[in-house]
Amino acid sequence: MMENEATIRLAFFFGILVLVALGELLSPRRVLTMSRPIRWFSNLGVVAVGALAVRLLFPFIGVHVALAAQEQGWGLLNMVDLPEWLEVLIGVLVLDLVVYLQHVMFHTVPLIWRLHMMHHADMDIDVTTGLRFHPIEILISMVIKMTAIAALGPTVFTVILFEIILNGTAMFNHGNLKLPSGMDRVLRWFLVTPDMHRVHHSVEDDEANSNFGFSLPWWDRLFGTYRDQPRGGHEGMRIGIHGYHEPRQVSWLPGMLILPFLGKVTAYAINRRQWTGADEQ
Ligand SMILES: [Zn+2]
Ligand SMILES: [Zn+2]
């Protein structure tokens, strides 16, 4: 499984990418407002830059950390003797919780919000938005994830399974997909659906600071960050960040990459809010 890790993950990546993209063609939720070829070139381009940065700086990816932890006896799960299925379950749950908490932090700490802003600056949301993260954000996520793996000690299988789930659900829940509302309601109990995550891409501050989960919807419900629907409805809501509309900045690769280094941090970050209350609205 170790040797085939890259092949297995790539197969899932392209498989789910094509499936969601097809779904967007057949049953789109919103009319896209920006040029799709430019957005797709930029959003997929930033995936390539991020993948390259990770390969250059972190030849030791998650599975290697999991293997090292196993050999050295690091990590909680390597210290207890649990049935394998339970170890996989705990591993996936805890890693997903870490990703949730990390996402909350990305919205909270002003310097890190600058990086995460690039994900939110996309004025349309579709399958490629789910892959669009600033390379420095990806590197920070890698450090956090590897630290979590070393502390938890999940099996190599768990790490590969988790990566496939995270990558797949990120593409699915950013999909511009119109699912039957009954299906969305049922799915939402187990999985973050496109309608649930779209709320998180609203320009409205309170909506953007909701629904941080990527795979499991339970953390948002447990920690009180869950929000059912956007106020403006899924067709009417505005996607993106207040004040960021310039296509060269939000949907053109070089502009996207330098976005974190420009200007002031917006009022999204935790200590930049102005609590002027109702009169502001
Ligand atoms: Zn976010
Ligand atoms: Zn997102």
Side-chain angles (χ1 to χ4, degrees), residues 119 174 197 200-201 214:
H119 177 66
H174 286 87
H197 190 71
H200 183 73
H201 281 265
F214 270 97

Side-chain angles (χ1 to χ4, degrees), residues 103 106-107 113 116 119-120 197 200-201 208 212 214:
H103 191 185
F106 283 159
H107 277 251
W113 164 248
H116 187 58
H119 177 66
H120 283 267
H197 190 71
H200 183 73
H201 281 265
F212 293 98
F214 270 97

Side-chain angles (χ1 to χ4, degrees), residues 45-234:
V46 86
V47 177
V49 177
L52 196 70
V54 166
R55 284 286 153 190
L56 286 178
L57 287 166
F58 289 99
F60 303 107
I61 46 170
V63 281
H64 290 93
V65 177
L67 207 63
Q70 219 164 6
E71 281 163 5
Q72 306 291 330
W74 301 334
L76 277 178
L77 292 175
N78 287 321
M79 291 170 189
V80 291
D81 199 20
L82 296 174
E84 181 151 1
W85 66 267
L86 189 57
E87 279 205 25
V88 173
L89 190 69
I90 294 175
V92 169
L93 278 175
V94 172
L95 289 177
D96 195 59
L97 174 60
V98 169
V99 169
Y100 166 86
L101 292 173
Q102 168 192 300
H103 191 185
V104 175
M105 180 186 82
F106 283 159
H107 277 251
T108 309
V109 180
L111 185 71
I112 304 178
W113 164 248
R114 279 179 181 273
L115 300 168
H116 187 58
M117 239 168 70
M118 200 211 82
H119 177 66
H120 283 267
D122 203 345
M123 289 174 70
D124 282 326
I125 173 170
D126 68 10
V127 61
T128 63
T129 312
L131 304 166
R132 166 191 158 125
F133 293 94
H134 198 280
I136 304 175
E137 176 178 346
I138 294 176
L139 293 177
I140 295 174
S141 306
M142 287 289 286
V143 172
I144 294 172
K145 202 181 323 181
M146 285 191 284
T147 310
I149 290 172
L152 183 66
T155 60
V156 169
F157 172 76
T158 310
V159 173
I160 296 176
L161 180 70
F162 176 72
E163 291 291 351
I164 290 172
I165 293 175
L166 184 66
N167 187 240
T169 51
M171 287 191 278
F172 169 66
N173 68 40
H174 286 87
N176 184 30
L177 297 171
K178 186 170 185 168
L179 302 179
S181 65
M183 185 177 165
D184 178 88
R185 247 195 324 276
V186 175
L187 259 185
R188 244 181 223 226
W189 284 104
F190 311 99
L191 209 62
V192 176
T193 63
D195 276 9
M196 181 175 161
H197 190 71
R198 198 174 299 105
V199 178
H200 183 73
H201 281 265
S202 168
V203 294
E204 302 300 334
D205 194 359
D206 55 340
E207 292 180 340
N209 283 301
S210 306
N211 300 1
F212 293 98
F214 270 97
S215 304
L216 299 171
W218 308 326
W219 312 122
D220 283 299
R221 293 182 188 257
L222 186 66
F223 294 111
T225 49
Y226 178 72
R227 190 178 284 260
D228 196 27
Q229 305 293 339
R231 276 186 296 273
H234 287 282

